[in-house]
Every structure is written in C-alpha cells, then in structure tokens.
Amino acid sequence: MTIASVMDVTDRIPGARVDLADLLIRTAGHDRQAFAELYDATGSRVFGLILRVLRDRGYAEETVQEVYLQVWQKADSFDPASGSALSWLLTIAHRRAVDRVRSEEAAGKRGHDYSVSNVETPTDTVADSVVAAEERSDVMVCLGSLTATQRQSIELSYYGGMTYRQVAERLDAALPTIKSRIRDGLRRLKDCLEATSHG
C-alpha cells in the first residue's frame, strides 16, 4: 500500500467546509480550538491508515495519539508550498505506524503485530501462544514440519505482514482455503512446540 493511494490532493474534507491548511497554521500558534477541529476533521482518516498498517486496534489507537502529539508540537514545520495539509498529516501517520511495526518486530512480537481482524478467535489464541511463548529457533524448526503450502501461507501472513486476502491473491488460492491452511498449520505448530518444550 502506498501513501499516495490514501491521500487527497486537496485540504478540503468531502462533505464539509474545513480548510486543513488553515487549521494547521493556527495549530502552529497553539490554537487549541483549531487543533480540536483538525482532529475532528482528520482523526478517522488517520486511524484508518494506521490500522491498515498495524492491524491491531489497540496499537493503532496509541499511535494515533502519538501522531497528534507530534502534530501539536511540530505544526509549524508544515509548508503549504510543499503539499497539502492532509498529505503532510498522513505522511506523519504512516511513518509512525511503520516505526511501531519495526519496534514491535525488534521486541520479538511479530505474530501479534501482524494479526488480522478477520481471524477466528481460536486461531488468534493459537497464533499468540505460538509466537509469544516460544523461542524463534523452535518456531523455525517446527515450521519445517508443516507442508510446504501451510508453511508458505503462515510465513506470508505472520512474518510477511499480509492479510489472509493478500495471501490468497499471492498464492492464487481461494480465501477459505488459505484460512484453513493457516488454521491447520498453526495447530500443528502448537503441537510441535509443546512437544519441543516438554522434550
């Protein structure tokens, strides 16, 4: 997904007469009312973009707060001659979201970061226990015990950050088939990791 695909070239919000550039300029002067109006006008767009990157509502909500704190502190760096206010704002949001993903990866929480909203609850539980409770080396060993299609589907989803639908498109397979492969593969991973930890 590219930033350009979610940005408007105008600072006017459809259906409302809101001039985002003016609000940003006023926010740079620490105008709290302008900042509140800016948040009201753009909050859902910023949250939507961040949620698509992080795929975790809690992390997305925290990152939105970080974005608007940065906007409040750095609004004076906005230059209308360089692009629209919305583009400036969404660029900050995207960078913050990507930084959050990298930070969580470094902490070894890949499985949770890349969970998708349409995963069935039992699968979420398995994925969390697989990724959070075991060492990466054990996970890699157990990945070798899966079928090639199961391993590829899980790697694309949980380590490649793809949604189930994206995995299905990449592997040219039906969405229900991909969900089944990943669910069955995660169960096999769990059994393998439990055997390893008790072995």
Side-chain angles (χ1 to χ4, degrees), residues 112-132:
H112 188 264
D113 299 338
Y114 293 128
S115 62
V116 291
S117 61
N118 62 344
V119 180
E120 297 85 354
T121 300
T123 305
D124 270 346
T125 302
V126 173
D128 290 345
S129 65
V130 165
V131 178

Side-chain angles (χ1 to χ4, degrees), residues 48-189:
L49 170 61
I50 292 173
L51 184 60
R52 283 193 289 275
V53 174
L54 298 181
R55 300 181 183 86
D56 182 284
R57 181 168 290 272
Y59 285 165
E61 290 171 351
E62 291 174 6
T63 305
V64 167
Q65 293 177 6
E66 294 171 2
V67 166
Y68 282 98
L69 176 60
Q70 182 175 344
V71 169
W72 175 253
Q73 295 172 337
K74 304 291 185 182
D76 58 353
S77 67
F78 167 65
D79 179 7
S82 298
S84 75
L86 187 60
S87 294
W88 182 83
L89 181 59
L90 292 179
T91 296
I92 291 174
H94 187 264
R95 286 176 181 164
R96 279 281 181 174
V98 170
D99 286 347
R100 183 61 182 261
V101 169
R102 289 173 179 163
S103 173
E104 295 301 329
E105 284 178 352
K109 299 175 182 176
R110 290 172 179 257
H112 188 264
D113 299 338
Y114 293 128
S115 62
V116 291
S117 61
N118 62 344
V119 180
E120 297 85 354
T121 300
T123 305
D124 270 346
T125 302
V126 173
D128 290 345
S129 65
V130 165
V131 178
E134 302 295 337
E135 294 294 332
R136 180 176 172 80
S137 59
D138 290 339
V139 172
M140 298 310 292
V141 169
C142 288
L143 277 172
S145 70
L146 304 180
T147 67
T149 55
Q150 286 175 334
R151 183 171 60 253
Q152 190 175 21
S153 298
I154 289 173
E155 287 176 346
L156 288 172
S157 178
Y158 287 91
Y159 294 97
M162 291 186 176
T163 65
Y164 282 3
R165 188 170 302 280
Q166 289 170 332
V167 173
E169 291 173 356
R170 171 69 67 85
L171 300 181
D172 194 25
L175 182 58
T177 301
I178 292 299
K179 287 185 177 181
S180 177
R181 281 181 190 171
I182 293 176
R183 182 172 55 247
D184 294 344
L186 288 173
R187 285 176 180 157
R188 288 183 62 176
L189 266 181

